[in-house]
Amino acid sequence: MTLLNTIVFLTLSFIHIYWAFGGQWGKELSVPTTGSGQKLFVPGVRATLFVAAGLLIFAAVNLSIRVLPGLATHTLFVISPLYLKYGILMIGLIFLLRSIGDFNYVGLMKKHKTSPFAKNDTRFYVPLCLIIFIAHALIFALF
């Protein structure tokens, strides 16, 4: 499960890096819009790279859960398993909050449901966030 999470986070991170450096694929459907199609915000390069870095950290935490027990005896740099366990919980909670949304344009509780972003949010983004939350809740419980 942690390897699948790592792959998902790496993929999402690389998509954000692609957007930060001018890529257009999928970009139009990545930001919430009003009913008239106006974007609620326009993320800049720094913000997009910041999200990409966060996703890389999430991938590293998931990978550490899988790899760290075997490396702990061979390295000088050891991360406490307690930090990893609660890091996994925090990642899961972030995605739970994202799936619930802002009660207007994003998430399960959104009021505005007709824009192309809102349709993709309902169809893809919210289910992905819920799956990520459930996966992290299971990892937390079993770790």
Side-chain angles (χ1 to χ4, degrees), residues 36-50:
S36 64
Q38 182 179 358
K39 291 183 180 184
L40 295 179
F41 62 92
V42 179
V45 172
R46 284 187 193 145
T48 306
L49 288 174
F50 182 78

Side-chain angles (χ1 to χ4, degrees), residues 16-86:
H16 281 78
I17 292 168
Y18 165 76
W19 288 335
F21 288 100
Q24 294 301 311
W25 176 83
K27 193 173 182 179
E28 280 301 311
L29 298 175
S30 66
V31 176
T33 57
T34 63
S36 64
Q38 182 179 358
K39 291 183 180 184
L40 295 179
F41 62 92
V42 179
V45 172
R46 284 187 193 145
T48 306
L49 288 174
F50 182 78
V51 171
L55 292 165
L56 282 175
I57 291 169
F58 293 170
V61 170
N62 274 273
L63 191 59
S64 294
I65 293 280
R66 176 78 167 194
V67 174
L68 193 64
L71 292 179
T73 57
H74 305 313
T75 62
L76 296 173
F77 181 70
V78 179
I79 299 171
S80 168
L82 191 62
Y83 290 133
L84 291 176
K85 182 174 182 168
Y86 284 99

